Amino acid sequence: MFKTTIVLLIFSMTLAAQTPEDVFSKYDQYKESSISNRRFKHQDIEKLIKKFENTGKFKVKEEGKSILGKSIYSLEIGTGPVHILLWSQMHGDEATATMALMDLFHFFVADDEFNPIREQILSNATLYFIPMLNPDGAEIFTRRNALGVDLNRDALRLQSPEARILKNKRDETQADFGFNLHDQGRVYSVGYSPKQATISFLAPAFNYEQEINEVRASAMQVIGQLDRVLQNYIPGHVAKYSDEFEPRAFGDNITKWGTSLILIESGGYPQDRDKQFIRRMNFLSILSSFVFITNESYKRETLKGYEQLPFNDRLFFDLLITGMKINKGGIDYTIDLAVNQDEVDYNSHKDYYLQGKVEEVGDLSIFYGYETFDASGYQALPGKVYPKVLTAKKLATLDQLQLLKEGYLFLKVKGEMKAEEKPILNILSAKGEAPAMNFRIGNAANFVLSKEGKVEYVVINGFLVDLDSYEGGVYGGVFIK
Ligand SMILES: [Zn+2]
């Protein structure tokens, strides 16, 4: 009797010792290293899915094809009675969670010290995954499918094959829980706080009244528990997505159809434009959900945790410059200026460069920046055009940093210039003229910041360059016709 108690005690201690956070501390051993850029394509993950199928641990099924004929697969693992359905990238340019799913697949096929936690999940639940529901959108890194339809507004009419695949899988599995995995812009903040909304959750409403039934409440309980985990890693960076009912959206309808639905939105985080850190937070969130659902600990949660989560707000810009002076007609005005650095695709949508554009001007004291600069005491002045027309060869010999210090932002170049020559300054054609300094919304932001007659900073295509500590990097290089 005594012996049995000890054995049981040790056994339960072993179980208690394994948490999703323990697994997460070994995340690097599960990370799929072949994808580290959100612009991966269907063929990249198809290869991986075949590899996971070959382990014999997943049942892989072609659920159908996209409009342009790409196979959409489901992966199934586990034997338990709780059915959990997850899908990612129904919006083609929202790829963060797809990467995390690949990492999770590695976790599930591994055989290591975390076998008890795997066993707990897989004996209590059956997991169904549909990674990259919208491969045609992913191919050109765009939100919508090849019809131009937003799949998340096609849950009722089901005109898109991709939407039908999701609906059929939901009905076939009668999923108890669903995970709708998206990305949101980097502009979102956690309420009015100066923290980016790195992960935003939602237990979608199933009617305009936003009522809470048992199905929705379960999703809220899991989210409340997840928030506590995430606060250890990204304190203050967890928010709640707008819970307005959208009758055509999947999340809302899937809740209505009886599946407790958890929406996860991967937003922004400092120094993480490619969302590789947020990918880790997805791994942790999803794995934690599996544990909380299968050990039923979520049932002990009140709804308070969910209710207290602040809603998303839109208070972030990539660059926020405050308090600079501009002069118009001999009069000085004090303004703040906000810039977002938009991604522009190239190399068949596999890479991108950034292009800064004016987003807002005026009193921006309620906003925050990924990068902020207090320009009090600085005067914004138009950049000058270097008077000589240069060849690309000649350009290579110029000290561009020195030119910036002299207030030049534009160079005229004769003949072709290759993008990889990466000029710091803006390049104009031989007959081109510099655009006037004009902070209209959508314009490129090019100006110098001068203090007591000395140019100390420049803003070039929306990037702030400190001329005293410039260490390289591309700031201009966008061709202006
Ligand atoms: Zn989305």
Side-chain angles (χ1 to χ4, degrees):
M1 179 65 194
F2 179 69
K3 211 170 175 183
T4 321
T5 314
I6 298 274
V7 170
L8 276 175
L9 204 69
I10 289 171
F11 182 65
S12 61
M13 276 169 67
T14 317
L15 271 184
Q18 289 211 335
T19 67
E21 295 179 66
D22 296 330
V23 178
F24 182 66
S25 70
K26 301 281 170 67
Y27 167 84
D28 285 333
Q29 68 196 46
Y30 305 118
K31 186 182 173 182
E32 171 53 51
S33 55
S34 72
I35 44 177
S36 57
N37 165 327
R38 287 166 297 129
R39 282 162 174 76
F40 57 85
K41 306 299 174 203
H42 176 262
Q43 60 177 38
D44 301 319
I45 66 150
E46 192 173 42
K47 249 185 290 185
L48 296 172
I49 290 170
K50 300 276 181 210
K51 222 171 70 183
F52 290 118
E53 183 177 22
N54 289 338
T55 64
K57 301 214 171 158
F58 281 98
K59 276 186 227 159
V60 174
K61 187 175 156 205
E62 190 193 70
E63 296 288 343
K65 287 188 192 297
S66 69
I67 288 171
L68 298 181
K70 292 190 175 66
S71 301
I72 297 169
Y73 300 98
S74 67
L75 293 88
E76 179 187 335
I77 191 167
T79 52
V82 181
H83 292 189
I84 307 178
L85 172 63
L86 306 92
W87 64 98
S88 71
Q89 225 169 336
M90 72 159 31
H91 294 140
D93 57 352
E94 300 179 7
T96 306
T98 304
M99 297 187 278
L101 292 185
M102 298 300 138
D103 304 337
L104 280 164
F105 297 161
H106 278 295
F107 167 72
F108 280 114
V109 300
D111 180 6
D112 58 25
E113 75 268 32
F114 295 116
N115 284 345
I117 208 167
R118 269 181 209 104
E119 178 58 22
Q120 187 217 302
I121 295 169
L122 299 179
S123 62
N124 288 295
T126 308
L127 311 176
Y128 304 90
F129 300 90
I130 306 178
M132 197 187 271
L133 185 64
N134 179 5
D136 297 343
E139 198 65 22
I140 54 171
F141 208 64
T142 192
R143 179 180 181 84
R144 293 167 182 244
N145 74 357
L147 284 177
V149 167
D150 180 342
L151 292 180
N152 212 18
R153 298 291 178 268
D154 202 19
L156 296 180
R157 203 170 277 182
L158 295 170
Q159 284 303 292
S160 308
E162 301 90 350
R164 285 197 294 275
I165 285 170
L166 178 54
K167 171 76 162 83
N168 291 342
K169 200 67 189 172
R170 210 290 326 169
D171 291 349
E172 176 201 314
T173 59
Q174 289 295 310
D176 301 287
F177 283 89
F179 288 79
N180 188 7
L181 306 170
H182 289 254
D183 278 69
Q184 66 181 13
R186 288 157 46 83
V187 298
Y188 290 97
S189 52
V190 175
Y192 300 117
S193 83
K195 301 246 184 169
Q196 295 87 354
T198 303
I199 294 286
S200 294
F201 292 113
L202 177 70
F206 56 88
N207 60 16
Y208 282 111
E209 293 73 30
Q210 302 174 356
E211 287 175 275
I212 300 170
N213 60 4
E214 207 182 314
V215 171
R216 190 173 177 217
S218 297
M220 290 173 164
Q221 287 168 301
V222 174
I223 291 169
Q225 218 175 347
L226 286 177
D227 174 49
R228 270 206 307 281
V229 174
L230 288 179
Q231 292 301 334
N232 296 328
Y233 300 86
I234 43 172
H237 286 277
V238 183
K240 191 161 61 184
Y241 196 82
S242 160
D243 61 354
E244 258 172 67
F245 177 61
E246 166 49 71
R248 303 164 300 162
F250 265 103
D252 309 51
N253 281 292
I254 283 179
T255 305
K256 197 196 274 180
W257 299 329
T259 296
S260 299
L261 198 280
I262 295 166
L263 170 78
I264 302 181
E265 296 272 353
S266 295
Y269 193 71
Q271 316 291 332
D272 192 33
R273 188 174 280 277
D274 271 317
K275 302 201 183 188
Q276 296 303 304
F277 174 74
I278 306 179
R279 165 187 182 169
R280 290 169 181 258
M281 292 299 108
N282 269 259
F283 177 94
L284 175 63
S285 302
I286 298 168
L287 183 69
S288 302
S289 307
F290 292 157
V291 171
F292 300 155
I293 291 168
T294 54
N295 69 13
E296 299 194 332
S297 55
Y298 75 94
K299 291 186 175 171
R300 295 195 293 270
E301 287 286 309
T302 66
L303 302 187
K304 226 182 224 152
Y306 179 84
E307 281 161 357
Q308 284 172 350
L309 273 174
F311 278 106
N312 273 336
D313 210 321
R314 266 183 99 107
L315 297 182
F316 269 89
F317 296 106
D318 282 320
L319 172 64
L320 182 60
I321 298 174
T322 57
M324 67 184 188
K325 291 244 183 315
I326 52 168
N327 190 286
K328 270 256 191 242
I331 299 169
D332 273 347
Y333 302 89
T334 299
I335 59 161
D336 306 328
L337 181 82
V339 168
N340 276 348
Q341 293 146 0
D342 299 334
E343 297 177 8
V344 183
D345 283 6
Y346 69 99
N347 187 20
S348 309
H349 308 278
K350 288 184 193 130
D351 290 303
Y352 66 90
Y353 62 86
L354 296 172
Q355 195 168 42
K357 288 185 179 153
V358 174
E359 281 286 323
E360 195 48 275
V361 186
D363 175 359
L364 306 184
S365 52
I366 64 164
F367 293 102
Y368 308 106
Y370 277 81
E371 183 184 5
T372 53
F373 179 65
D374 176 2
S376 311
Y378 287 88
Q379 186 90 27
L381 297 168
K384 296 186 289 185
V385 184
Y386 189 67
K388 285 186 190 146
V389 179
L390 305 161
T391 59
K393 212 170 154 190
K394 180 83 183 144
L395 171 67
T397 66
L398 274 186
D399 181 352
Q400 292 193 46
L401 187 55
Q402 183 54 37
L403 293 185
L404 291 172
K405 288 179 179 169
E406 291 168 22
Y408 293 108
L409 285 186
F410 302 94
L411 295 170
K412 290 184 180 185
V413 174
K414 201 164 43 181
E416 284 286 294
M417 258 219 59
K418 294 189 201 93
E420 52 276 20
E421 280 164 320
K422 292 186 176 138
I424 310 173
L425 274 71
N426 290 299
I427 304 299
L428 303 171
S429 66
K431 287 183 189 154
E433 280 183 39
M437 187 176 79
N438 182 335
F439 297 143
R440 221 169 269 155
I441 309 299
N443 278 1
N446 290 295
F447 54 95
V448 307
L449 285 169
S450 171
K451 199 179 212 170
E452 289 153 14
K454 187 183 169 221
V455 177
E456 292 187 12
Y457 292 84
V458 299
V459 173
I460 188 153
N461 285 315
F463 290 85
L464 180 73
V465 184
D466 177 351
L467 296 177
D468 281 334
S469 64
Y470 177 74
E471 287 176 341
V474 185
Y475 297 100
V478 175
F479 292 76
I480 298 173
K481 292 263 153 113

